[in-house]
Amino acid sequence: MAAHFSLIFLSLSALVCCSTGAFAGLSLEEQLRQLNDNYMEMKELLATKDRRLEALEADAIEQKSVIAALQQSVSGTQVAAANRQGTSTVPRSCADLKCKGETISGLYSIMGAKSVEMVYCDFSKATNDAGFQKWLGYVDVKSVPTYFYVQKNNSFTTQYVPIPFEVERVNIGGAMNLTSGIFTAPRPGTYFFAFTGDVRFLGPSTNILALIVELQLNGQRVGSSRVTESNTAGNVHSELTMQSTLNLIAGDKISLQITFMTAGGVSFLYDNPNADQRFNHFTGWLLEENLAGLL
Ligand SMILES: *[C@@H]1O[C@H](CO)[C@@H](O)[C@H](O)[C@H]1NC(C)=O
Ligand SMILES: *[C@@H]1O[C@H](CO)[C@@H](O)[C@H](O)[C@H]1NC(C)=O
């Protein structure tokens, strides 16, 4: 405010000094009136400037508080980020749970490397005490339950195409498409598959008759199963069988294909739709889901 006042003083003295010339030839009364008029004008001007200054000051105060709020929010975010790094949002140990404020000892689920794990946390013990965290085992978490068991109800005689299935006994999760014969892994994890097929050889024949079925992962062979017959006196049946445990990623495709079949219609996968006996079976499950990277 000191600067403000000296400014007024300067303006007033300037007015007085500069105006001297304008008073020439006026009566004392007129000069006084003129001075008074000038003074009133100046007063009004100063009042306006004062109001503007006040408004500017209010503005500055407001901006200062906005800046302070912004600074606070930035440092709050930094602190929150630092906390997350320190304890992790997803608990990975009893120590993490303690940091999150858990105080009651008991069974807790924590995130392991690839799956959820069960631990016993004894919060009455110190964090570095051996008994603070006792590892118990894995928790079976499946984000998509996947179990299927399908069957054929008629014979199949085509090579190099996925074997389709007609009868659905179980298809929880719907990962198995019976029409296309293709199973699509919904989630990364370990899966089990088993196939049993009935191969029919038409005799009599002195040749060696054979049929091979392949289990394929994305069109590539995982393994094969073969049955052969020689010197068949008449029609014979042989069982094909294959089991497999595979690590799959989401989207991997599993199918079965006949990759060899003695020509001439003398060997094929057999089923009789009228007898309803169901000789061909394909079953699969998601054993354990890989949850790494999910959280
Ligand atoms: C199953 O496969 C068939 C044949 O490829 C296809 O037309 C159908 O849309 C598929 N079904 C599902 C549910 O994806
Ligand atoms: C074979 O299975 C399909 C699908 O379940 C069914 O529509 C059809 O009637 C069955 N055929 C015979 C002969 O059982």
Side-chain angles (χ1 to χ4, degrees):
M1 273 309 171
H4 192 183
F5 276 130
S6 51
L7 200 76
I8 295 169
F9 178 70
L10 274 175
S11 309
L12 274 174
S13 30
L15 184 79
V16 171
C17 299
C18 297
S19 309
T20 331
F23 289 104
L26 294 180
S27 71
L28 196 62
E29 206 175 319
E30 278 168 330
Q31 280 185 26
L32 266 173
R33 205 182 48 242
Q34 182 75 59
L35 260 175
N36 191 51
D37 284 354
N38 284 350
Y39 169 71
M40 294 310 282
E41 212 173 289
M42 198 65 205
K43 209 171 154 188
E44 210 169 308
L45 195 75
L46 281 173
T48 311
K49 283 192 172 167
D50 224 23
R51 278 198 299 277
R52 275 201 210 144
L53 255 173
E54 260 168 40
L56 275 172
E57 246 169 16
D59 258 10
I61 288 167
E62 200 179 310
Q63 280 177 16
K64 229 169 149 176
S65 75
V66 167
I67 287 168
L70 275 172
Q71 273 170 344
Q72 210 164 6
S73 124
V74 165
S75 80
T77 310
Q78 280 166 348
V79 166
N83 280 348
R84 266 202 302 281
Q85 272 184 342
T87 62
S88 100
T89 311
V90 178
R92 293 176 191 279
S93 62
C94 292
D96 282 356
L97 289 162
K98 190 178 177 179
C99 283
K100 284 173 164 296
E102 289 289 357
T103 53
I104 299 165
S105 299
L107 298 177
Y108 288 91
S109 292
I110 59 165
M111 191 63 209
K114 279 164 51 173
S115 52
V116 177
E117 297 172 8
M118 174 80 74
V119 288
Y120 175 72
C121 302
D122 186 346
F123 292 120
S124 72
K125 295 201 160 83
T127 311
N128 57 4
D129 191 300
F132 176 68
Q133 173 174 315
K134 189 173 166 58
W135 190 84
L136 295 175
Y138 296 100
V139 179
D140 188 20
V141 174
K142 289 185 175 80
S143 63
V144 182
T146 305
Y147 309 92
F148 76 87
Y149 172 33
V150 295
Q151 301 170 320
K152 289 197 68 59
N153 68 4
N154 53 44
S155 294
F156 192 66
T157 58
T158 315
Q159 294 184 86
Y160 307 118
V161 294
I163 300 169
F165 292 84
E166 294 76 38
V167 181
E168 177 182 297
R169 304 305 295 248
V170 169
N171 195 8
I172 296 165
M176 180 65 202
N177 184 327
L178 284 78
T179 315
S180 67
I182 296 170
F183 170 89
T184 306
R187 298 278 312 135
T190 307
Y191 291 79
F192 173 79
F193 300 95
F195 170 67
T196 309
D198 183 291
V199 179
R200 184 166 194 178
F201 295 115
L202 299 183
S205 171
T206 52
N207 295 330
I208 294 177
L209 308 177
L211 190 142
I212 297 174
V213 166
E214 251 183 46
L215 180 75
Q216 295 191 344
L217 164 57
N218 299 326
Q220 302 295 309
R221 181 190 310 124
V222 171
S224 312
S225 183
R226 174 173 57 193
V227 286
T228 58
E229 284 290 340
S230 53
N231 284 318
T232 54
N235 298 339
V236 293
H237 293 264
S238 291
E239 293 303 306
L240 274 172
T241 174
M242 194 171 359
Q243 288 79 37
S244 172
T245 301
L246 292 169
N247 287 322
L248 302 181
I249 59 168
D252 272 350
K253 297 196 183 315
I254 295 288
S255 64
L256 294 157
Q257 294 196 10
I258 299 173
T259 52
F260 182 82
M261 205 164 64
T262 305
V266 294
S267 64
F268 54 90
L269 276 182
Y270 171 83
D271 223 306
N272 182 349
N274 302 317
D276 198 26
Q277 285 168 300
R278 312 274 165 83
F279 290 114
N280 297 277
H281 315 268
F282 187 30
T283 189
W285 318 310
L286 168 57
L287 288 171
E288 190 181 309
E289 187 166 334
N290 182 349
L291 298 171
L294 191 70
L295 297 172

